[in-house]
Amino acid sequence: SQQGEEDPQALSIQEGENATMNCSYKTSINNLQWYRQNSGRGLVHLILIRSNEREKHSGRLRVTLDTSKKSSSLLITASRAADTASYFCATYWLEESNSGYALNFGKGTSLLVTP
Amino acid sequence: NAGVTQTPKFRVLKTGQSMTLLCAQDMNHEYMYWYRQDPGMGLRLIHYSVGEGTTAKGEVPDGYNVSRLKKQNFLLGLESAAPSQTSVYFCASSYPVGGYTFGSGTRLTVV
């Protein structure tokens, strides 16, 4: 069962624009993580935000977490064609899920950045 | 800095055949995982391990078995392959509650 639900499912923007993806989840979490997957490749860890953190930055990435709304957002500033990929949020539940104590992944947002 | 290595990268099986997917990590991670990724389904956990000699079932364990005899290796076995097991399989490893390092995947087709 997927814990996180990304929104939108697909996003198309031009180079230089900002891209915002959202993730909602249902259960109390230990942390929330964002991953990128280029077509045909494995997932790459981007950023981890703990439940007691509200915002985190890494280069052109900005992640926010609102535990009261059970939601997170990933902002990519000044997008480049190389940012074209699928982006997944994943959550570690505080309680054991039907995935044990492993990450629960959403279905992802497909981002297309055109030159 | 190899990270997580999966072998093979591609495989075609006939229904009923068996095979083993190998995952090896060189980061001394305690936890290792096997996921499958299907179109529109995201990643679903098959089995995972929190240490050498231990394994546990994930969300979709039926038809698969695993073993973790050495800390650095996590094997996924299909005893009798079915077309429903056609998928892309990813192995990952991590420290407890940490970020995952993924392998590049195994694309399996069962005909």
Side-chain angles (χ1 to χ4, degrees):
Chain A
S1 61
Q2 267 78 33
Q3 161 72 179
E5 292 287 339
E6 290 93 341
D7 174 62
Q9 290 187 336
L11 180 61
S12 182
I13 60 173
Q14 291 190 316
E15 268 191 327
E17 294 181 337
N18 295 341
T20 299
M21 287 158 268
N22 302 297
C23 171
S24 61
Y25 58 92
K26 299 176 183 175
T27 308
S28 296
I29 60 172
N30 178 293
N31 66 62
L32 183 145
Q33 304 178 23
W34 285 91
Y35 289 80
R36 184 188 74 232
Q37 184 180 34
N38 291 92
S39 181
R41 309 289 293 273
L43 281 74
V44 174
H45 180 256
L46 295 176
I47 201 163
L48 181 155
I49 186 165
R50 294 181 172 79
S51 60
N52 61 353
E53 298 175 312
R54 292 296 167 259
E55 188 170 311
K56 213 162 181 181
H57 296 256
S58 177
R60 293 184 295 113
L61 305 180
R62 172 177 169 254
V63 169
T64 61
L65 179 64
D66 187 335
T67 53
S68 67
K69 296 181 179 178
K70 292 186 169 59
S71 67
S72 173
S73 67
L74 170 67
L75 169 67
I76 305 174
T77 60
S79 296
R80 306 166 182 168
D83 294 326
T84 294
S86 292
Y87 292 82
F88 294 85
C89 74
T91 51
Y92 262 118
W93 295 8
L94 281 180
E95 302 294 329
E96 186 175 4
S97 72
N98 55 357
S99 290
Y101 290 103
L103 278 173
N104 292 272
F105 284 85
K107 296 182 180 179
T109 291
S110 178
L111 173 65
L112 174 64
V113 182
T114 54
Chain B
N1 53 347
V4 176
T5 303
Q6 290 184 235
T7 53
K9 295 193 183 322
F10 302 93
R11 185 74 185 267
V12 178
L13 283 181
K14 293 182 179 178
T15 298
Q17 285 185 321
S18 63
M19 76 164 295
T20 300
L21 283 68
L22 173 63
C23 177
Q25 54 99 0
D26 61 1
M27 296 165 287
N28 203 34
H29 285 161
E30 287 293 331
Y31 287 22
M32 296 187 75
Y33 318 84
W34 277 106
Y35 285 85
R36 60 178 288 174
Q37 185 177 33
D38 302 292
M41 299 293 290
L43 275 80
R44 292 183 292 169
L45 182 68
I46 304 171
H47 287 278
Y48 67 103
S49 168
V50 299
E52 182 178 316
T54 72
T55 62
K57 294 180 180 179
E59 183 183 357
V60 288
D62 294 342
Y64 305 95
N65 56 76
V66 289
S67 64
R68 184 119 181 253
L69 298 180
K70 294 183 179 181
K71 185 176 184 179
Q72 62 268 35
N73 295 337
F74 195 29
L75 279 63
L76 177 70
L78 286 73
E79 289 186 347
S80 179
S84 61
Q85 294 177 305
T86 293
S87 187
V88 181
Y89 291 85
F90 287 102
C91 176
S93 70
S94 77
Y95 294 115
V97 208
Y100 285 12
T101 300
F102 277 87
S104 58
T106 296
R107 189 173 296 274
L108 174 67
T109 301
V110 182
V111 298

